[in-house]
Every structure is written in C-alpha cells, then in structure tokens.
Amino acid sequence: MKKEITVIFFLFYSSVNSSVREKRLVLHSSDDVFNEIQNLKLENANIKASLDALIKDTGSVYTRWGKTDCDGNATEKVYSGYTAGTPYDNSGGAASYICLPENPTWAKFVEGLQNEGAYISGTEFESGYSNTFNPFPKNMLNQDAPCVVCRSPRPTSIMIPGKTDCYSGWTLEYTGYLMSGHYSYKGGTDYACVDANPDAVLHGERDQNGKLFYFVEVKCGSLPCQEYPQGRELACVVCTK
C-alpha cells in the first residue's frame, strides 16, 4: 500500500512539474518575447503621441497694444480690434484697457444711451508728437489705437515695465513704452505696454478723445532716483517662456 501511494505521488508530482515547465517554456518563447516588445513599443508610441498633443495645446496669450498683427516667434493671431476703456472724463475706479474685437456679436440690447450703466470708448494717443519727446516713427497724436491678441506656444507670458530686453531664458515678443491715462483725469486707468512702432486705426485720426494713452514718467523719491531718474519715460517689454 505504501509503495502504491509513493508511486501515485511521484506520478502526480511529475505531472505537475512537467506542466509548470511547459508553461514556463510557453511564457518565454521567442514569439511571446517578440509580442511583448511590440506591445511595449505601441504603448510607448501612444504615450509619446499624448505628450505631443499636450505640448501642442499649451501656450499663453497676451495683448499687443497699438498693433494689428503678431510678429514672429511662432506666435499666432487670435483676433485684432480696438483698444477701449472708460472715457477719460468719467469718474470712478480704475478700469483696464481691453481689446474689443473688430466684428462684435450681440446678445439682447437697447438702442441709444440709457445713462444707467458704465461707458466704454475707443482709445486715442494723446502723446507721441512733441519737440521734447517723440519716440514713435510717425505722428500718433489723436490717432485711435488698435490692438491684437496673440497666442504664443510658450506657456508663460509677462510684461516687464522699465525694460527693453528679456531676462535670460525668456523669448522677446515685443518692446514698447509704458502708457496710461493722465494723472489728473477722473477716469481710472491701468498701465499698458504699447508697441514701440504702433499702427493706427483706419480713419481714426479725429480728435474725439475717449480713453487716452499718455507716456508714463518717473517720479522718484520713494523710487530710487539713481536707478529711476526724475521725469524719464518708462519703456516696457513683453516676454514669454
């Protein structure tokens, strides 16, 4: 009886061990290795395609004040339009310059001024043609200012006031002059980096005011006068990375 049990166990063990060896051989056959490599290559290609699509979809946008096109550095134009904002003689809090598109679409509206809300108007250059300071290549006095919204493939954009070049590792988009509304006017304003070679809106040379562009001068004291001398007009630069 003991011999029979031993024989049965031996046969069972041999059968199981043979099955394991057979499976091991199947799992490590040249065909399986080849297929596994192909699967890994396909998975790697899918991951690379997903990363490429993700990189392609990244980027940043900035407004180029005073221009109608985006120049160079792989930027693309989102839309162009008119620099606009709160009229200079309207009292109230600070209001940012915004870029209104050339071809608006309308929701519900009422014709005529209702005098029940805020106002918005185009923006004119009130600086740019004088004997003391005229940095623009052409006379921009009373010209209406265009704008263009640009998209860069680089995910970060920044406007740096008081600089004409970018810091190391950043890409130059454009240089210009820091401009804002006049300090004595009621209408609030912020600062905008206006292109150093601005365009003008076609037929926009009439002196109708609205929101205005003036150069920004330094008042030193709380600003160090050595680095920021009194009365100098500030430049600016837009950079991406």
Side-chain angles (χ1 to χ4, degrees):
M1 181 69 176
K2 187 175 181 181
K3 289 182 179 180
E4 291 177 358
I5 293 173
T6 302
V7 170
I8 292 171
F9 176 78
F10 176 77
L11 291 173
F12 175 76
Y13 175 79
S14 298
S15 175
V16 171
N17 194 41
S18 175
S19 176
V20 170
R21 286 199 305 273
E22 183 179 351
K23 288 182 178 179
R24 186 176 299 160
L25 287 172
V26 170
L27 288 174
H28 291 82
S29 69
S30 59
D31 288 341
D32 279 344
V33 171
F34 175 79
N35 289 334
E36 188 65 22
I37 291 173
Q38 293 302 110
N39 289 335
L40 289 173
K41 286 183 176 179
L42 180 61
E43 184 177 352
N44 182 63
N46 290 336
I47 292 173
K48 184 178 183 301
S50 298
L51 287 175
D52 289 343
L54 184 63
I55 292 171
K56 185 178 179 181
D57 288 339
T58 60
S60 59
V61 295
Y62 61 88
T63 303
R64 190 165 185 168
W65 304 106
K67 296 296 284 186
T68 57
D69 286 302
C70 308
D71 299 330
N73 295 327
T75 57
E76 60 176 307
K77 179 164 74 172
V78 181
Y79 72 91
S80 58
Y82 310 104
T83 303
T86 305
Y88 78 99
D89 54 353
N90 285 185
S91 60
S96 300
Y97 295 100
I98 62 173
C99 189
L100 288 178
E102 291 176 333
N103 300 302
T105 54
W106 303 98
K108 294 181 179 179
F109 60 88
V110 177
E111 299 287 3
L113 291 175
Q114 306 302 307
N115 298 317
E116 294 179 355
Y119 296 130
I120 191 168
S121 64
T123 302
E124 282 188 358
F125 287 94
E126 286 296 297
S127 298
Y129 191 72
S130 68
N131 294 327
T132 56
F133 188 64
N134 178 27
F136 296 142
K138 52 185 174 292
N139 179 14
M140 296 303 296
L141 183 63
N142 295 326
Q143 296 284 349
D144 292 338
C147 54
V148 59
V149 175
C150 306
R151 180 185 180 274
S152 166
R154 292 164 288 278
T156 305
S157 60
I158 185 174
M159 187 275 281
I160 306 175
K163 295 284 289 183
T164 59
D165 55 350
C166 298
Y167 291 104
S168 177
W170 290 77
T171 298
L172 174 69
E173 296 295 333
Y174 75 94
T175 60
Y177 292 92
L178 200 66
M179 304 190 80
S180 72
H182 197 276
Y183 73 90
S184 66
Y185 291 158
K186 294 178 181 179
T189 186
D190 58 356
Y191 297 106
C193 187
V194 179
D195 196 277
N197 184 18
D199 300 321
V201 174
L202 185 64
H203 304 308
E205 64 277 1
R206 294 177 59 189
D207 185 13
Q208 296 181 313
N209 294 320
K211 200 167 182 70
L212 303 174
F213 271 148
Y214 287 87
F215 293 109
V216 176
E217 294 181 326
V218 171
K219 285 192 73 174
C220 72
S222 51
L223 280 173
C225 294
Q226 183 173 353
E227 289 83 1
Y228 289 91
Q230 182 84 348
R232 285 191 184 179
E233 288 77 13
L234 282 170
C236 56
V237 63
V238 172
C239 309
T240 54
K241 184 177 184 180

